[in-house]
Amino acid sequence: MSKAGSKKDIKRRKITFALETSDAKKVILMGDFNNWNPKKHLMKKDGNGIWTKTVMLFPGKYEYKFMVDGEWKEDPQNDQKCLNCFGTLNNIFKLPS
């Protein structure tokens, strides 16, 4: 029998990131949850110009950004930001436990 609240009981949850940019050709979700890997989370565009990607995340605090046609872009729907080591801003996402 496991203890309630133990580390084994903490589960990942589905989180969907979205970005509206109808003229983009390629959008990638990158963050510390995927080691900023440009091959890990390619986003898909719907018929309305909204790019989405659903990822599985453990509770915690994450930094992320979008790569839109080779250019970094902040999430305009998220005003939670922090300074990164390059002197620009990353968005912050907090997933409560």
Side-chain angles (χ1 to χ4, degrees), residues 1-2 7 29 31 40 44-45 48 54 67 75 85 90:
M1 203 156 101
S2 69
K7 203 161 196 165
L29 170 64
K40 186 89 175 174
K44 292 185 180 180
K45 183 165 91 168
N48 298 318
T54 300
M67 178 67 72
D75 186 346
C85 64
N90 291 343

Side-chain angles (χ1 to χ4, degrees), residues 28-47:
I28 305 166
L29 170 64
M30 289 196 280
D32 51 12
F33 49 83
N34 67 7
N35 292 316
W36 301 91
N37 185 339
K39 297 179 182 174
K40 186 89 175 174
H41 291 119
L42 296 172
M43 300 179 78
K44 292 185 180 180
K45 183 165 91 168
D46 70 9

Side-chain angles (χ1 to χ4, degrees), residues 60-78:
K61 179 180 170 184
Y62 300 96
E63 293 183 28
Y64 72 97
K65 256 182 155 166
F66 300 107
M67 178 67 72
V68 179
D69 296 335
E71 299 286 327
W72 288 110
K73 182 167 178 67
E74 296 167 23
D75 186 346
Q77 301 299 314
N78 181 356

Side-chain angles (χ1 to χ4, degrees), residues 61-63 79-84 88-92:
K61 179 180 170 184
Y62 300 96
E63 293 183 28
D79 61 358
Q80 299 295 307
K81 299 175 186 178
C82 66
L83 193 62
N84 63 33
T88 60
L89 297 173
N90 291 343
N91 289 100
I92 297 172

